[in-house]
């Protein structure tokens, strides 16, 4: 799906016993909004790209439930972007969010599963990134805030699970990083600020 213009909205739903489902959305427009839902599927992917040419802030929401071997990618290049990724009861899942410019918000929530990965990259000031992983095994969370990430906030929470890793990397004055790991075993946390 490709859209150029203003006030655009896209909703995609792929459900029930799917294999190799692919949802690709490209938007270059004002006030764009994307919602993608996939459930009960294997080897599926979602790719959302929102450009800045005519934009005044974009929103993307991706939900995956009971999926395996799936990839979600959200790329936003504008001011005041929001990306929300929810993945539940899945294994070998990957969620990648990339945002540039100021005042961006990214939320990634992964519940259950094995070998899941969440990666948030934000390039700009005053951005907020939150990753929550619950009851997972071999989960990985990476938040990277660069390009003068002043006054940006990174929060990672890993609750339950085993052998999980959380990493936060920030560059800029006044940046805040918090990693919380609760009721887990063999978990590791790394924070680097410079």
């Amino acid at each position: 799906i490709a859209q150029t213009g203003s006030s655009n909205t896209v909703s995609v739903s792929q459900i029930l016993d799917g294999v190799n489902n692919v949802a690709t959305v490209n938007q270059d427009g004002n006030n764009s909004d994307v919602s993608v839902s996939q459930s009960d599927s294997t080897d599926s992917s979602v790719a959302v790209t929102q450009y800045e040419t005519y934009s005044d802030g974009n929103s993307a929401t991706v939900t995956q439930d009971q999926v395996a071997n799936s990839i979600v990618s959200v790329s936003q290049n504008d001011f005041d972007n929001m990306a929300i990724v929810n993945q539940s009861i899945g294994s070998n899942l990957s969620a990648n969010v990339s945002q540039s410019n100021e005042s961006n918000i990214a939320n990634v929530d992964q519940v259950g599963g094995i070998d899941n990965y969440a990666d948030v990259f934000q390039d700009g000031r005053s951005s907020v990134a939150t990753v929550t992983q619950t009851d997972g095994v071999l989960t990985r969370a990476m938040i990277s805030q660069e390009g003068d990430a002043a006054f940006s906030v990174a929060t990672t929470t890993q609750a339950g699970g085993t052998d999980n890793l959380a990493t936060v990397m920030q560059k800029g004055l006044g940046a805040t990083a918090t990693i919380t790991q609760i009721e887990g075993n063999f978990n590791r946390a790394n924070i680097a600020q410079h």
Side-chain angles (χ1 to χ4, degrees):
I1 298 173
Q3 292 180 320
T4 300
S6 61
S7 303
N8 296 317
T9 299
V10 171
S11 179
V12 178
S13 181
Q14 296 172 319
I15 60 175
L16 297 179
D17 300 325
V19 178
N20 296 320
N21 290 328
V22 177
T24 303
V25 179
N26 296 304
Q27 288 182 320
D28 188 353
N30 297 323
N31 302 314
S32 299
D33 181 76
V34 174
S35 176
V36 179
S37 177
Q38 292 179 326
S39 64
D40 298 313
S41 62
T42 302
D43 299 321
S44 299
S45 66
V46 176
V48 176
T49 303
Q50 294 173 316
Y51 304 97
E52 68 171 345
T53 308
Y54 306 103
S55 282
D56 296 319
N58 298 308
S59 174
T61 301
V62 179
T63 301
Q64 291 183 317
D65 181 44
Q66 299 186 57
V67 297
N69 306 323
S70 296
I71 299 173
V72 172
S73 175
V74 177
S75 178
Q76 296 172 318
N77 182 13
D78 192 16
F79 295 90
D80 300 318
N81 291 314
M82 175 176 286
I84 300 173
V85 179
N86 297 308
Q87 295 173 313
S88 60
I89 315 177
S91 61
N92 195 26
L93 306 178
S94 177
N96 303 283
V97 177
S98 177
Q99 296 173 317
S100 60
N101 288 320
E102 295 186 22
S103 303
N104 297 309
I105 298 175
N107 293 319
V108 178
D109 190 2
Q110 295 176 321
V111 179
I114 300 173
D115 198 24
N116 296 330
Y117 179 63
D119 180 19
V120 176
F121 174 79
Q122 294 173 317
D123 186 356
R125 295 166 56 90
S126 303
S127 294
V128 177
T130 303
V131 175
T132 303
Q133 295 172 316
T134 306
D135 296 330
V137 178
L138 294 172
T139 61
R140 303 290 181 266
M142 163 68 83
I143 296 176
S144 179
Q145 294 172 321
E146 300 181 0
D148 187 19
F151 310 110
S152 294
V153 178
T155 303
T156 300
T157 301
Q158 292 175 322
T162 302
D163 196 20
N164 300 319
L165 172 64
T167 302
V168 174
M169 301 179 63
Q170 293 174 313
K171 180 180 180 181
L173 298 174
T176 301
T178 302
I179 295 176
T180 303
Q181 294 173 317
I182 306 169
E183 295 181 353
N185 297 305
F186 307 108
N187 296 324
R188 292 165 291 162
N190 301 305
I191 294 176
Q193 295 174 313
H194 56 90

